[in-house]
Amino acid sequence: MTDGAPQAHQVSELELERRHYRSNASRRSILIAVTSTVAFVAVVWVVLVNTPGWEDVKYTFFNWEIGKDAFPSILEGLWLNIRALFFAAIGVAVFGTLLAVLRSLRGPVWFPLRALATIYVDMFRGVPVLIVLFLVGFGIPALDIFPRMDAAVWGTISITLCYSAYVAEVLRAGIESVHSSQRIAARSLGLSHGKTLRMVVIPQGVRRVIPALMNDFVSMQKDVGLISVLGAVDAIRAAQIEVAATYNFTPYVIAALLFIVISVPLTRLTDYVAARMNSREQIGGVV
Amino acid sequence: MSVLDVRNVWKSFGDNAVLQGVDLTLNNHDVVVLIGASGSGKSTLLRTINLIERVDDGQILLSGDDITDPRIDTDAVRARIGVVFQQFNLFPHMRVIDNVTLAARKVHGEDADSARARGTELLERFGLGEKLRDYPDRLSGGQQQRVAIVRAIMTDPELLLLDEITSALDPMLVGEVLDLVRGLKDAGSTILMATHEMAFAREVADRVVFMHGGRIIEAGTPEAIFDSPQQPETQEFLARVTHR
C-alpha cells in the first residue's frame, strides 16, 4: 500500500485558473437557462392570449372565484386518492413481487404456477384499466359473497390487480439482469434458491429498476383517479360535481394541479434515492 | 478417510468432452494445485465438486458422502465447501462485513452478534479491519479477493476450492492474495486450487496436477512436475508458461 498521510498541498495557479473558468462557465449556463426559459414562457403566453377564444377559455378554465370555492371539496377528494394510492402501492409491491418470483421459477415442478402467473400478467396488461374497474367494481359485489364495501375499496383493488402485472414484469427484468455469477456465489455459500432470491438477487434487481418502478408508481398515482368511475368521491369526482353545478371547468384544472403537486416530489425523491444509491456503491467520476 | 475423492468423473457440454475420467483424492490438510491451459477442464472440475455442474458419470465423495447422489441435499453440501472465484463475486449491495457473515447467519443459523464478532476478527487478521463498513466496489481488486476468501472460510469449510483467484488481479495485488492462501495452508486448510501462478504452485502445493484435454496427464510433487515432467504434454505446457 502506498497511501500515507496526505501532504499539505499548495493549489497551483493552473488549477485556480481552471476553477475560475469552471465557476464562470456554470454561472453563464444558469444565465442562459433562465433567459431561454423566460423567453419561451413569454412566447407561449403571448400566443395563448392572442387566440380568438382566449377570453372564453380564461373564464371557463381559469376562473379564480369558482376555483376558490371548489378547492376544499377537491382537496378532500384528493385525500381519498392518496389513501387509495397508499394501499394500492402496498398491494402492488407484495403481489407484483410474488408474480415476478413465480415467473422466475425454474424447473418443471413449478410449471403450473409459472403458467398461471404468465397468463395473469398477459391478461391484466392487455385489458384496459377502465374495464377492470367496471368488472371488479360492479361484478364482484354482485356475487354477494363479500360484505358491502365502499366503491373506493373495489377501485383500489382493481388498480392493484392491473399495476401488479406491470410491476411484475419490471421486477422480473430486474431479477433476470442480475448476473448468474451472483447466484452461483450465493448458492456456493449454501444459500437455498429462495434465500438467494430474497437476499442476493431481488435486492440487486430492484435497485436497477427503481426508475422504472417509480415511473409506474407515478403513473398509478394519477390512475387512482379512475376509481371515480365507480362512484367514489375522489378529487376527480369532486371536481366533476363542482363542474356540474357551475358549468365551469376550472375545478378540473384545480384537480390536475393537485395531482401534479403530489407527483413532482415523488419523482424528485426517486432521482435522489437513485443518485444516493449509486454514489454509495460505486466510484462515480464526472461522467 | 479422504476429504475429497473424485472417481472417474466425466462431463461434456454438447460434443465438447470437458472431463474424461478424472480421478483425484485429497486428504486432510492437502493443498493440491491444478495446472493446465484454459479449457483443460480445471474450472469445470471445481464446478462439478461444488455441484454447480452435474457430472455425466462417475462419483464425487466429500468426506465419504457421495455428493453426486441425486438424493443428497445440495445446499447442505455447498455449505460444507468454500469457494473463491476469479471475479470475486462479492455481493455489491452488502457491506464487507455483511458479505462475510451472510452464510454464517442465514445458512448455519449463527446469531448475528457472534457472526459479526468472528467476521470482524477474521477481517482484521487479514488486514481488512478498516473496510468492514465499506461496499465492495470501493475496494481494490486485491482487497475484494481477500474479502471473498474470508467469506469462503468464515464457516470453516471442509474443503476450499480456489478457481484462478489471482487471474483477474493487477500483478501488484497478486502477492497480498497469495500471502493469505499461504496462511490458510499453514492453518491446515484442505485446498484444491486452479492457478496460472507457477511459482506459487511450486511453493505451496503438496501435489501438482497437470490437466490437458479433460484428463489428468501427470500428477506429483512440485519438484517432480516442474523439474522433471515425464509426459510430452506437460513438458510442452511448462515450456510455454515458463518461457523456457
Side-chain angles (χ1 to χ4, degrees):
Chain A
M1 300 300 294
T2 51
D3 53 352
Q7 294 173 355
H9 173 64
Q10 181 65 47
V11 176
S12 69
E13 285 297 321
L14 177 67
E15 173 60 19
L16 288 175
E17 192 276 329
R18 288 191 295 218
R19 287 180 191 177
H20 181 68
Y21 173 79
R22 280 193 210 107
S23 87
N24 272 350
S26 73
R27 206 174 308 134
R28 207 161 44 237
S29 311
I30 292 170
L31 195 69
I32 292 170
V34 169
T35 314
S36 65
T37 308
V38 168
F40 176 75
V41 170
V43 167
V44 171
W45 181 252
V46 167
V47 169
L48 206 58
V49 168
N50 286 314
T51 49
W54 172 245
E55 280 308 315
D56 292 341
V57 168
K58 198 170 95 173
Y59 176 80
T60 319
F61 287 89
F62 303 102
N63 192 309
W64 176 252
E65 287 303 315
I66 290 174
K68 208 170 58 176
D69 290 346
F71 187 77
S73 65
I74 297 173
L75 195 64
E76 200 177 316
L78 190 74
W79 174 232
L80 178 65
N81 289 114
I82 292 172
R83 279 178 294 164
L85 179 66
F86 176 78
F87 288 109
I90 293 173
V92 168
V94 173
F95 192 38
T97 307
L98 180 71
L99 284 170
V101 169
L102 290 181
R103 289 206 65 185
S104 309
L105 289 176
R106 281 157 200 175
V109 194
W110 302 107
F111 176 78
L113 283 177
R114 199 166 52 220
L116 211 63
T118 307
I119 292 168
Y120 179 91
V121 167
D122 284 354
M123 220 168 71
F124 278 86
R125 287 203 303 169
V127 180
V129 182
L130 208 50
I131 293 179
V132 174
L133 274 161
F134 286 138
L135 293 180
V136 171
F138 297 133
I140 295 182
L143 294 172
D144 263 343
I145 50 169
F146 294 104
R148 263 194 64 81
M149 282 194 282
D150 197 83
V153 175
W154 291 114
T156 305
I157 290 171
S158 311
I159 298 284
T160 305
L161 293 177
C162 290
Y163 271 86
S164 294
Y166 287 101
V167 166
E169 282 303 276
V170 172
L171 286 174
R172 191 169 68 104
I175 288 171
E176 289 182 357
S177 77
V178 176
H179 196 267
S180 62
S181 62
Q182 287 285 309
R183 274 176 207 270
I184 291 176
R187 296 305 296 275
S188 293
L189 288 171
L191 264 66
S192 64
H193 179 79
K195 281 180 181 166
T196 298
L197 262 183
R198 204 167 73 237
M199 289 160 196
V200 175
V201 178
I202 291 180
Q204 292 183 59
V206 168
R207 266 153 224 254
R208 294 186 195 171
V209 293
I210 277 187
L213 286 175
M214 285 308 278
N215 188 39
D216 278 342
F217 185 64
V218 171
S219 171
M220 188 166 82
Q221 173 264 319
K222 66 191 161 48
D223 275 0
V224 291
L226 290 174
I227 65 174
S228 57
V229 299
L230 297 179
V233 185
D234 74 329
I236 296 180
R237 190 67 166 191
Q240 204 173 22
I241 292 167
E242 297 291 334
V243 169
T246 59
Y247 300 104
N248 186 294
F249 288 105
T250 307
Y252 282 148
V253 176
I254 302 281
L257 289 175
L258 287 174
F259 275 107
I260 293 173
V261 165
I262 57 172
S263 80
V264 168
L266 285 176
T267 50
R268 292 296 140 252
L269 181 73
T270 326
D271 293 351
Y272 171 75
V273 169
R276 211 184 57 145
M277 276 184 342
N278 280 339
S279 69
R280 197 181 66 179
E281 283 173 20
Q282 289 163 13
I283 296 163
V286 288
V287 283
Chain B
M1 184 177 46
S2 49
V3 173
L4 178 73
D5 196 355
V6 176
R7 296 177 181 170
N8 190 28
V9 160
W10 291 73
K11 175 73 190 176
S12 48
F13 297 107
D15 292 338
N16 184 15
V18 186
L19 296 177
Q20 306 190 57
V22 172
D23 290 283
L24 184 67
T25 305
L26 266 77
N27 291 314
N28 210 1
H29 313 308
D30 273 0
V31 175
V32 172
V33 175
L34 298 171
I35 60 170
S38 299
S40 60
K42 306 186 300 288
S43 283
T44 305
L45 178 60
L46 295 179
R47 287 164 70 96
T48 56
I49 296 167
N50 195 35
L51 306 181
I52 294 167
E53 304 291 351
R54 189 179 296 157
V55 299
D56 294 341
D57 200 359
Q59 267 187 320
I60 300 172
L61 277 68
L62 181 66
S63 303
D65 301 330
D66 180 1
I67 60 172
T68 43
D69 185 331
R71 280 155 292 215
I72 202 149
D73 179 352
T74 54
D75 293 337
V77 170
R78 293 196 191 100
R80 293 161 58 187
I81 302 175
V83 189
V84 184
F85 305 89
Q86 184 175 343
Q87 298 293 343
F88 332 136
N89 295 358
L90 293 173
F91 306 126
H93 62 296
M94 293 182 188
R95 295 175 196 277
V96 164
I97 185 72
D98 297 325
N99 262 281
V100 164
T101 58
L102 181 70
R105 287 179 286 128
K106 301 298 179 186
V107 180
H108 299 262
E110 185 172 350
D111 74 90
D113 289 340
S114 121
R116 201 180 172 74
R118 286 201 310 118
T120 305
E121 199 223 303
L122 272 178
L123 287 166
E124 278 170 356
R125 191 189 306 165
F126 296 122
L128 294 159
E130 314 218 314
K131 306 293 179 185
L132 291 180
R133 307 280 304 155
D134 282 2
Y135 285 90
D137 293 352
R138 296 270 185 187
L139 273 50
S140 73
Q143 290 168 338
Q144 288 192 49
Q145 194 60 298
R146 283 187 284 151
V147 171
I149 294 171
V150 172
R151 180 173 72 173
I153 62 171
M154 218 356 232
T155 52
D156 292 324
E158 291 160 44
L159 173 68
L160 260 181
L161 304 176
L162 312 182
D163 190 1
E164 296 189 15
I165 58 171
T166 56
S167 299
L169 295 178
D170 188 312
M172 291 287 291
L173 303 175
V174 169
E176 62 186 74
V177 171
L178 294 183
D179 281 344
L180 210 169
V181 177
R182 259 179 221 114
L184 296 179
K185 175 189 164 73
D186 294 343
S189 296
T190 308
I191 302 175
L192 178 58
M193 64 185 293
T195 188
H196 293 305
E197 299 285 336
M198 294 303 148
F200 184 70
R202 176 192 280 268
E203 174 205 327
V204 83
D206 296 314
R207 212 149 20 101
V208 176
V209 173
F210 172 67
M211 290 186 73
H212 179 79
R215 289 194 177 86
I216 291 177
I217 302 294
E218 196 167 352
T221 61
E223 292 73 27
I225 298 295
F226 289 116
D227 297 337
S228 51
Q230 300 299 309
Q231 303 298 324
E233 290 95 337
T234 320
Q235 290 161 359
E236 194 193 347
F237 173 76
L238 288 173
R240 282 172 188 273
V241 294
T242 54
H243 310 290
R244 273 199 301 235

